[in-house]
Amino acid sequence: MGLSMTIDATDDRICRVENLGIAIGGATPVPLVKDVSFEIRRGDYFALVGESGSGKSLTCHSMMRLLPFQPKIDGRIIIDGQDVWSLNHKQLVNFRRKSVGMVFQDPLAALNPVRTIGSQILETLKIYYPNADDDELRNRAIQALREVHIPEPGARLGVYPHQLSGGLNQRVMIALALLGEPKFLIADEPTTALDMSVQAEVLDLIDELRRKNNLTVLLVTHDLGIVRDRATDIAVLQLGRIVEQGRTAEIVRAPKAAYSKELFEASSVEWPGRNEKTRKATPVCLTFDRVNKTFFASKRDRRNGVGIPAAKDLSFTVRQGEIVALIGESGSGKTTAAKMAMGLEKPDSGAIIVHSSPRNASKKLNMQMVFQHPRDSLDPLMRVEDQLHEVLKVHGWRDRAVRQEHILKTIADVGLGAHVLGRRPTYLSGGEAQRVVIARALLLEPDMLIADEPLSAVDVRIQKHILECLQRLRDRLGIAILLITHDLRVVFEIADQVVVLRHGRVVEDVPVSMFADGARDAYTQMLIEAVPGKIRSSKQGRGAAMTAAFPGGAAMVTG
C-alpha cells in the first residue's frame, strides 16, 4: 500500500481495469461486481452501459475510490499509470485533483445548496492555485464557467444551485470537474432526466471539451441512443459482469450477447398503427379552453404584474381511449397544466372543463395522477400493501377481503407479482416503484390518468414494460391518458396526439403521424433533431421523410 506505479510513456491506455471484484459483508461477502476487465485508450469516448443494479456506478465510483461503504476489492484499477487502490491518502488526494475529474448523476445533490456557485468554484481553485490573489481566482472562475458556455458567467457566481436549471447545474459540475485540467473524465449518467435539447447541449459540450483538451471520457449511461451517437467503444454490464465489449459500430451492428440484443431491442422505436378516424367520434374527457396562469415570487411582484407565465391561452382536448403526449422543455408549463387539470393549481383565467364520465353520464370524470418521482410519492416506512389498502379504505371500501382481491387484480394489471406487496418502497427497483404508483392510481378505476414524466429516470427495458402497461390499460379499460414527457421516443412509441408547449403556449397540436413530417414549427423541429438516435429529415418537395434509426438496426419511418 502507498506505492503507485510508474507511468509508461509508450502506453496509450489511460485506464486499465483488471479482474475487478467488489463485495460487501463480513464472513460471507456479497459480490456486487465480478471479474470486470476493460481498457480505455487515450482520446477514447468509452461507454459503460447496463440497467440499474448492473454495477455501472459502483465500477466508476471505485475508480475514484468514492464508494460509500468499506468494500472488499479484488483485481486492480490503473489510471494514468497509478494503481488507484494502492495509493496512500496524500497520493489519492493528488490523483483526484490532477488525473481524473468526475461529473455526478444528480448535480443538485452534488452541489452544496446553501453556498453560491462562485464560492464552491473558488474553494476548489484555491487548492489548485494557493498563491493566487482574489482577483485572479475570480477571473479563473469566470473563465471556467465561460468554457462550459454558461451565459453571464460573472453574474452566475452569486447564484445558488436551486436558482439554476438542471442543464446549467450540470454545466457547473463539468466546470468543477475540469478545474484541475484532468486527462480523464468520468461522467456518471450526466443527462438523466434532462430535456432532449438540454441533453444534446451537455453532450455536445463534453464532445467539444474532449476534442479541445485531448480528454478521455468514460460515459456511464442506460441511454443507448446516446451511446450510438457518441461513443467509440462500449462495455455492456449485466448483474455485475461484462457480457460484451468492443467498438461501438460493431456491437451496434451485430450484438453477440443475448442481453445486449435485448437492450438494443428495448431501445428501438416502433410505430404501431393508429386509428385516427375514430378520434372525433369518441367523447371528450378533458378540455383546456384559453387557460392562463402566472406565478409571482412575492406580493409586490403580483402588485407590479412581474411574474413568470406558465400558461398563455392554453387550449387542447383529451378524448376517451386516447393517449395525448404533452411535450416541451423544462419550464414550458407541462406540469402546471397537469396540476391545474387535477385542481392542485387554479388558473387565472380561461376554463378547464372536466366532462362527465363516459361510463356513467351522471357522474363527473374520475381522474388520477401518476407523479414524476415515484419514491417521493410513496411512504418509505409503509409496506406497499398497506399503502394500497389505505387508498381504498379512505374511499369507503370496508371489507378487507374485497380490498385484497381488488389490489391483487390491479397489481397484475400493471405486470407486478404479489411479492411486491410485502416490500417497502426502498426495496423496489425504479420500474417496480413506478408501476406501484400507476397501480395506486388505477385502484379507483379512473376514466383518465395524468402521468407526469413517468419514465424520466428508468432504464430502457423498464421503460418498455411501463409503456406496454399503459397501452394495455388504454386498450383494455378504455381510459384516456395525458402523458407528460420530454422524451420524444416515448411519443413516437405510444401517443395518438401530440401537444407541444413552449413558454406556456401551444405551438403544435397534431396527430402523431404528422408530427415528424418535416412541416412542423421550428421549435418542434429543434426538439426532434435533439433526439439521440438520430432523427434525420430528408426534404422531398413539400413533404419530408423522417427516419429515426436506433441501436440494433431498428428504424421508424413516416412520410
Side-chain angles (χ1 to χ4, degrees):
M1 297 290 288
L3 297 175
S4 64
M5 297 177 61
T6 57
I7 299 173
D8 181 358
T10 63
D11 193 349
D12 70 340
R13 299 170 297 179
I14 195 167
C15 172
R16 303 203 316 270
V17 177
E18 301 175 352
N19 307 114
L20 176 66
I22 302 174
I24 57 172
T28 56
V30 178
L32 303 176
V33 172
K34 311 158 198 168
D35 200 28
V36 165
S37 298
F38 58 86
E39 297 179 346
I40 303 176
R41 295 181 298 275
R42 297 180 190 274
D44 273 359
Y45 201 134
F46 193 96
L48 201 58
V49 304
E51 296 177 287
S52 295
S54 62
K56 306 186 303 296
S57 291
L58 272 179
T59 300
C60 73
H61 283 211
S62 70
M63 295 165 77
M64 294 282 286
R65 276 175 64 176
L66 289 175
L67 295 176
F69 51 85
Q70 189 62 41
K72 179 181 182 299
I73 295 288
D74 292 321
R76 295 194 306 173
I77 300 172
I78 301 165
I79 297 176
D80 199 22
Q82 302 172 80
D83 189 338
V84 176
W85 283 87
S86 294
L87 301 176
N88 61 32
H89 178 71
K90 184 177 179 180
Q91 291 171 330
L92 180 62
V93 170
N94 192 56
F95 166 78
R96 287 174 178 166
R97 286 179 184 173
K98 295 185 177 180
S99 294
V100 184
M102 188 159 186
V103 179
F104 294 95
Q105 181 171 350
D106 185 354
L108 277 178
L111 293 169
N112 191 327
V114 298
R115 295 179 59 191
T116 63
I117 296 299
S119 70
Q120 296 180 64
I121 294 176
L122 290 170
E123 179 185 47
T124 307
L125 284 171
K126 285 177 183 175
I127 296 172
Y128 292 125
Y129 305 98
N131 299 322
D133 58 30
D134 290 346
D135 287 341
E136 182 184 348
L137 291 174
R138 179 179 170 80
N139 289 335
R140 286 184 180 275
I142 291 172
Q143 181 59 29
L145 294 183
R146 188 176 287 122
E147 285 282 319
V148 295
H149 306 309
I150 290 181
E152 302 178 15
R156 302 288 185 183
L157 291 178
V159 304
Y160 292 87
H162 72 270
Q163 294 174 305
L164 296 177
S165 68
L168 287 178
N169 272 316
Q170 198 58 281
R171 287 170 187 266
V172 170
M173 281 299 306
I174 294 171
L176 280 165
L178 297 179
L179 285 178
E181 300 179 358
K183 303 167 187 175
F184 186 38
L185 180 69
I186 300 173
D188 184 11
E189 298 274 12
T191 57
T192 294
L194 292 180
D195 302 324
M196 287 293 181
S197 56
V198 179
Q199 182 184 95
E201 290 171 4
V202 170
L203 293 169
D204 287 344
L205 173 63
I206 292 174
D207 260 346
E208 177 190 330
L209 295 170
R210 181 174 75 95
R211 292 190 298 269
K212 182 179 177 181
N213 302 329
N214 194 27
L215 197 63
T216 304
V217 176
L218 170 60
L219 176 70
V220 177
T221 184
H222 63 255
D223 191 326
L224 295 173
I226 293 173
V227 171
R228 181 185 183 278
D229 283 352
R230 312 273 177 172
T232 57
D233 296 83
I234 303 176
V236 182
L237 271 173
Q238 181 188 22
L239 300 176
R241 294 184 184 275
I242 287 183
V243 296
E244 187 165 8
Q245 61 177 305
R247 303 298 282 182
T248 300
E250 296 172 4
I251 292 181
V252 165
R253 184 175 61 252
K256 295 183 176 65
Y259 178 71
S260 302
K261 292 177 183 177
E262 192 176 350
L263 279 183
F264 291 145
E265 286 169 3
S267 70
S268 66
V269 171
E270 299 173 3
W271 191 284
R274 270 77 162 183
N275 188 0
E276 291 160 13
K277 293 180 181 178
T278 63
R279 183 172 194 261
K280 292 182 180 178
T282 55
V284 176
C285 292
L286 178 69
T287 300
F288 273 66
D289 184 13
R290 291 174 292 181
V291 171
N292 293 279
K293 176 69 178 178
T294 302
F295 290 100
F296 300 95
S298 64
K299 291 182 179 179
R300 185 174 67 178
D301 285 349
R302 183 180 290 275
R303 286 195 303 270
N304 296 333
V306 179
I308 301 172
K312 303 177 186 175
D313 290 325
L314 189 59
S315 298
F316 64 90
T317 61
V318 182
R319 295 177 178 271
Q320 181 186 359
E322 180 180 61
I323 298 178
V324 175
L326 200 60
I327 69 171
E329 298 174 287
S330 294
S332 61
K334 305 185 301 294
T335 298
T336 300
K339 289 181 176 179
M340 289 192 293
M342 290 296 296
L344 301 175
E345 294 282 356
K346 290 185 179 180
D348 298 332
S349 63
I352 300 174
I353 305 168
V354 180
H355 298 266
S356 58
S357 171
R359 289 179 286 195
N360 188 340
S362 64
K363 289 186 177 181
K364 195 175 181 180
L365 190 83
N366 179 358
M367 287 196 300
Q368 295 294 323
M369 188 161 180
V370 177
F371 293 94
Q372 181 171 358
H373 302 294
R375 297 194 192 282
D376 291 344
S377 60
L378 292 169
D379 189 325
L381 301 179
M382 289 179 68
R383 296 184 310 153
V384 169
E385 183 175 21
D386 296 332
Q387 297 187 54
L388 299 182
H389 273 285
E390 186 176 54
V391 171
L392 294 175
K393 283 193 287 187
V394 166
H395 287 84
W397 293 55
R398 300 303 176 199
D399 190 320
R400 180 176 177 83
V402 174
R403 289 200 310 265
Q404 186 71 14
E405 183 181 354
H406 184 57
I407 286 170
L408 289 171
K409 176 180 175 296
T410 307
I411 282 288
D413 281 342
V414 298
L416 291 174
H419 64 279
V420 303
L421 295 176
R423 297 180 183 174
R424 291 185 174 88
T426 49
Y427 294 97
L428 299 176
S429 70
E432 286 173 335
Q434 192 60 272
R435 280 181 280 180
V436 165
V437 171
I438 294 172
R440 183 178 62 183
L442 292 174
L443 282 176
L444 301 177
E445 300 177 337
D447 302 300
M448 180 174 173
L449 271 184
I450 297 178
D452 186 8
E453 297 279 11
L455 308 169
S456 61
V458 295
D459 305 320
V460 287
R461 285 209 308 176
I462 297 170
Q463 278 190 12
K464 207 78 166 180
H465 292 322
I466 294 173
L467 288 177
E468 289 170 357
C469 168
L470 293 175
Q471 283 178 307
R472 282 198 308 272
L473 296 171
R474 187 269 305 269
D475 296 340
R476 193 166 62 81
L477 305 177
I479 63 175
I481 299 174
L482 179 61
L483 178 65
I484 297 168
T485 183
H486 65 258
D487 191 337
L488 267 64
R489 291 168 294 189
V490 173
V491 174
F492 293 134
E493 186 84 18
I494 68 167
D496 301 298
Q497 191 78 5
V498 186
V499 179
V500 183
L501 295 187
R502 187 185 191 192
H503 303 319
R505 292 186 185 275
V506 174
V507 299
E508 212 85 67
D509 187 357
V510 295
V512 72
S513 60
M514 296 174 59
F515 184 64
D517 62 5
R520 300 297 105 215
D521 181 87
Y523 176 71
T524 305
Q525 288 299 128
M526 182 272 290
L527 293 178
I528 292 172
E529 292 297 333
V531 176
K534 173 84 99 173
I535 294 186
R536 300 178 293 275
S537 64
S538 55
K539 302 235 174 158
Q540 299 172 348
R542 292 179 57 198
M546 302 294 297
T547 303
F550 287 82
M556 174 277 289
V557 180
T558 71

